[in-house]
Amino acid sequence: MTGEYNHSHEYFNGTPWFVYECTIQLDASYRRIALFLLYLFIFMVGLLENLVVVWVNWRRRHSANGVLFCIINVSLSDLMVIVILPFFMMEVTMDKVWLWGRFLCKVTNLIYTVNFYSSSFFLASMTLERYLSLTRPSSPSFFPVVGRRRWVLCGGLWVFSFFLALLENVHVDLLEWDEPGCYMVPEHNYSEWFVSVAAFCIIFQFLVPAAVIITCNVLIARAVKTAPDVQGRRDVWLVHVYSLVFVMCWLPYHLVIFLLVIDDLDPYIFSCNTVEILYFSFTVVEGLSLFHCVANPILYNFLSKSFRDNLVNAVVNCIPREGTGVPMGGGDQPNAPNGGGGELGKQRKLSNTSTSQSDVGS
C-alpha cells in the first residue's frame, strides 16, 4: 500500500528513453484530493460498520456456525486495514512523503498486505461453507463449531496470508531521497521479484478466491431456485451481487498490476503515455479496492434480517431498566437465534433456502 513500484528504464545517451516520447501531462493534485476524500470516507464508514458487525457477532462466537465464524474474521481483517488508513491519508496529502519512520513504514505495509489476502481467503471460505450448508446439510461443517479443526483452519489462513505478505514486506523500506518515502524496492533482481510477487498476488488474492466465490454463488442460486419453500427471489439475485462486488473491487487493481508486469518484462511494448497512465492509475484502483471494507458489512450482515434482529436485541440489552440498572431484554442471550429462543424452528427452516450469509444457522 505504502510502497511504489519502480520501473527499471533503459537509457539512451544517459537519458531515460521515455523522456523523448512522453507528451501527456497528468495533474496529480486532483488525484491526491480524491484519494484523501476516498480514504476518509472508507475510514469513517468502514470503521463504524465493522465495529458494529464484530460487536454483534462476537457475542455468538462460541456457538457460531462456520459462515458466521468467517464473517467475524472478514470484519477483523477489514478493521486491520481501516485503522491504518490515517497514515495513508497523510502520505497522500504530502505527496508520498513518509514522516513516521522505518518501523511504521514496514508495519503498516505488512498489515495492509495481510488484509489484502486474508479478506479474500475468508470470503471464499465463507461462500464455500454457505454452499455446503445449503446443499449438504448433513455433512460436517468446513469450520465446525467445536473441536480444534476450526482454529487450525482459521490459523492456517492467517499464517498463509502473513507468509504471502512477507514476500513483499521484506523489500519495503524507508528511503531518503529528496524527501523520506516508504517504497518496495529490492536491491537486486527487481524484475524477477516484481513478476513473482505480482503472480502470487493475482493468483492467490484474486483468481482462486474469485473462482470459488463465483462458482459457489452460481450453484447456490440454482439450489435456491429449486427450493420449494423459498420465500422470495431476492435471494437468487443477491448471491450474484456478492460475486459482482468482489470482481468490481479487485479486477481493476489486478488488471493494472498485470499490465505493469507486461511493461516490466518488455519496457517497449507500451508507449510512454500508456505507462504514465498506468502508474497514475495504480494508486487510484488501489484506493478503490478498499471499498470492500465498506461493502462487506452491508452485503453479509446488514442485509440479513437475522443480523438486524440481533443488533436490535444487543442494543436493547445494553439499555438499563428504569430505576434498576439492569439491562432490558430479559438478559443477554447471545447464543440464541435473533437473541431469543422462540424463532429457532423458523431460523432453521430459513437456513435451508436463504442465501443471506448471516442467516445460516444464526
Side-chain angles (χ1 to χ4, degrees):
M1 177 69 183
T2 55
E4 287 289 323
Y5 295 115
N6 289 343
H7 192 278
S8 55
H9 300 291
E10 297 290 338
Y11 285 78
F12 177 75
N13 292 332
T15 305
W17 66 271
F18 55 82
V19 170
Y20 299 106
E21 298 183 5
C22 279
T23 59
I24 192 171
Q25 296 292 329
L26 300 175
D27 190 349
S29 59
Y30 292 106
R31 181 183 63 177
R32 292 201 302 271
I33 296 173
L35 285 175
F36 177 83
L37 295 176
L38 174 63
Y39 291 155
L40 181 62
F41 171 80
I42 294 174
F43 176 76
M44 296 175 62
V45 178
L47 182 64
L48 177 61
E49 288 181 345
N50 284 280
L51 283 176
V52 171
V53 169
V54 172
W55 175 56
V56 173
N57 291 330
W58 189 257
R59 297 155 59 88
R60 298 177 292 159
R61 65 190 182 279
H62 296 300
S63 63
N65 61 27
V67 172
L68 194 58
F69 184 75
C70 290
I71 289 176
I72 294 174
N73 279 276
V74 169
S75 295
L76 289 174
S77 178
D78 290 344
L79 276 175
M80 288 169 54
V81 72
I82 288 174
V83 296
I84 62 173
L85 275 183
F87 291 102
F88 302 145
M89 291 162 58
M90 295 303 297
E91 184 187 27
V92 165
T93 303
M94 294 183 289
D95 195 17
K96 303 176 186 176
V97 177
W98 186 264
L99 301 178
W100 299 279
R102 182 174 182 270
F103 176 77
L104 285 178
C105 166
K106 297 184 73 69
V107 168
T108 53
N109 183 83
L110 181 62
I111 291 174
Y112 169 80
T113 314
V114 169
N115 161 267
F116 184 79
Y117 289 104
S118 61
S119 179
S120 294
F121 290 162
F122 281 106
L123 280 177
S125 300
M126 176 179 60
T127 309
L128 178 60
E129 179 75 35
R130 180 60 179 137
Y131 167 72
L132 294 176
S133 67
L134 281 173
T135 60
R136 303 175 184 177
S138 60
S139 300
S141 175
F142 192 66
F143 285 91
V145 175
V146 295
R148 294 183 179 180
R149 180 181 173 184
R150 164 184 284 195
W151 301 105
V152 170
L153 289 174
C154 176
L157 291 178
W158 280 108
V159 170
F160 188 48
S161 301
F162 184 78
F163 168 75
L164 292 173
L166 281 180
L167 296 179
E168 294 187 22
N169 197 251
V170 293
H171 297 298
V172 172
D173 210 342
L174 185 68
L175 301 182
E176 295 281 353
W177 288 336
D178 294 336
E179 298 285 353
C182 190
Y183 297 96
M184 289 186 290
V185 183
E187 295 182 3
H188 307 287
N189 302 322
Y190 170 81
S191 294
E192 292 82 356
W193 167 83
F194 175 53
V195 172
S196 300
V197 170
F200 278 118
C201 169
I202 294 172
I203 293 172
F204 289 108
Q205 197 279 332
F206 181 66
L207 292 181
V208 173
V212 174
I213 291 172
I214 294 173
T215 301
C216 289
N217 281 336
V218 169
L219 295 176
I220 289 172
R222 290 181 179 178
V224 171
K225 280 183 179 180
T226 59
D229 54 345
V230 64
Q231 298 181 5
R233 297 305 172 188
R234 166 183 172 272
D235 289 337
V236 176
W237 62 260
L238 184 58
V239 292
H240 299 305
V241 175
Y242 296 151
S243 303
L244 180 63
V245 170
F246 182 84
V247 172
M248 289 179 61
C249 284
W250 292 113
L251 180 59
Y253 174 84
H254 289 283
L255 180 60
V256 172
I257 288 290
F258 178 72
L259 294 176
L260 290 175
V261 169
I262 294 177
D263 175 62
D264 196 76
L265 294 175
D266 186 357
Y268 298 97
I269 195 170
F270 298 127
S271 67
C272 177
N273 290 339
T274 302
V275 175
E276 286 293 303
I277 293 174
L278 285 177
Y279 280 95
F280 183 87
S281 62
F282 176 76
T283 53
V284 175
V285 296
E286 188 179 44
L288 292 174
S289 69
L290 292 176
F291 261 115
H292 74 272
C293 298
V294 175
N296 288 341
I298 296 175
L299 290 175
Y300 301 112
N301 293 275
F302 292 102
L303 290 181
S304 164
K305 183 180 184 301
S306 171
F307 176 83
R308 294 195 301 269
D309 289 342
N310 279 282
L311 174 59
V312 171
N313 287 331
V315 173
V316 169
N317 287 332
C318 291
I319 301 176
R321 294 177 178 175
E322 185 177 355
T324 65
V326 179
M328 296 177 62
D332 187 11
Q333 301 179 29
N335 296 333
N338 294 335
E343 296 289 325
L344 180 57
K346 179 181 177 181
Q347 285 298 314
R348 286 178 175 171
K349 182 178 180 181
L350 177 63
S351 69
N352 291 329
T353 55
S354 174
T355 58
S356 181
Q357 305 285 0
S358 292
D359 284 337
V360 184
S362 54

